[in-house]
Amino acid sequence: MERVSNSHAKPASTAAKSRMTGKQRREQLIVVGRKLFADKGFEGTTVEEIAAKANVSKPVVYEHFGGKEGLYAVVVDREIAALLGGITGALTADLNSRETLERAASALLDYIESSTDGFRILVRDSPPGQSTGSFASLMSDVASQVEHILAAEFKRRKLDPKTAPLYAQMLVGMVALTGQWWLDSRKMKKADVAAHLVNLAWNGLANLEDKPGLAIARST
């Protein structure tokens, strides 16, 4: 009796072969969540949507992150590390003051260009009850580093180093707000935006008055 060939037997379950490891599933959910948070915000994104986009059940999301808040926290932490790492590298480089400013401005714009979704997440408000992870707190961390650089420069030029924190906030705020504007208005090239930022910041800093005052106050 002729044997039936098994050459056409069905292979092992496709689902079994394509089943993700726990680490792979976690990374997939982070990618899916990152995109949804960027497009719809934290409040506008639901666990149901995250699960549907990842083609898993809701319990899988809870298993890995404990809920939407946990996933959001992981996404934000990663974006903060990426952005802060680039800016910190620019601020700690052995360069003169103007080149340091140029590198820092370029680092922020580089991040916006390469991680647009991540930047959109950072500039949104943090979810209720979360005191860290917001763009404001991130920029505050950057300002703290800039503060030390400015304080040293102020001492060298015989200016009051106690005002360095104020100038650091102004400088970082200017760059951050310009970055948010450039996020949606890409009419200018990245290098041109950075050049104009440095033009205003550097030429303004280069001519600081020892004891600045308001002209309007002098006339009253």
Side-chain angles (χ1 to χ4, degrees):
M1 183 177 179
E2 186 177 355
R3 292 184 178 182
V4 178
S5 173
N6 290 324
S7 59
H8 297 295
K10 290 185 178 180
S13 169
T14 302
K17 282 189 174 184
S18 62
R19 184 178 296 127
M20 293 184 180
T21 64
K23 183 177 180 180
Q24 290 172 330
R25 179 65 71 191
R26 179 180 174 85
E27 289 302 313
Q28 181 211 20
L29 289 170
I30 290 172
V31 171
V32 169
R34 183 177 184 269
K35 180 61 177 173
L36 285 171
F37 290 138
D39 291 343
K40 307 181 73 172
F42 176 82
E43 294 296 342
T45 301
T46 64
V47 173
E48 287 83 358
E49 287 178 297
I50 296 170
K53 287 286 185 180
N55 197 27
V56 298
S57 62
K58 286 172 57 178
V60 173
V61 179
Y62 287 107
E63 176 187 347
H64 284 279
F65 301 100
K68 182 177 67 170
E69 293 81 4
L71 175 56
Y72 182 86
V74 171
V75 170
V76 169
D77 285 347
R78 286 192 175 190
E79 296 305 325
I80 287 178
L83 176 53
L84 194 57
I87 295 178
T88 300
L91 294 177
T92 56
D94 186 16
L95 302 167
N96 64 45
S97 298
R98 176 164 183 146
E99 289 181 354
T100 299
L101 183 58
E102 290 178 355
R103 292 289 183 89
S106 295
L108 175 61
L109 296 176
D110 285 342
Y111 172 78
I112 294 173
E113 183 178 57
S114 62
S115 301
T116 300
D117 283 345
F119 189 72
R120 288 189 189 282
I121 292 170
L122 291 182
V123 298
R124 293 179 188 274
D125 291 335
S126 298
Q130 182 169 313
S131 59
T132 60
S134 69
F135 188 63
S137 65
L138 172 62
M139 289 297 101
S140 180
D141 290 341
V142 174
S144 295
Q145 298 183 52
V146 174
E147 175 186 327
H148 298 299
I149 296 173
L150 290 182
E153 181 69 10
F154 282 15
K155 287 181 181 179
R156 187 183 69 81
R157 295 171 54 186
K158 296 183 173 19
L159 298 170
D160 185 2
K162 293 180 181 178
T163 62
L166 173 62
Y167 282 93
Q169 292 289 337
M170 291 189 290
L171 186 59
V172 171
M174 180 182 71
V175 176
L177 285 174
T178 302
Q180 291 184 54
W181 167 80
W182 189 65
L183 175 66
D184 296 311
S185 178
R186 300 294 182 90
K187 295 179 180 179
M188 295 182 67
K189 294 180 179 178
K190 178 177 62 179
D192 291 337
V193 174
H196 282 286
L197 272 170
V198 174
N199 182 38
L200 175 59
W202 179 255
N203 288 325
L205 290 173
N207 296 288
L208 286 179
E209 297 175 345
D210 183 25
K211 295 182 179 180
L214 298 177
I216 189 173
R218 299 192 191 103
S219 63
T220 56

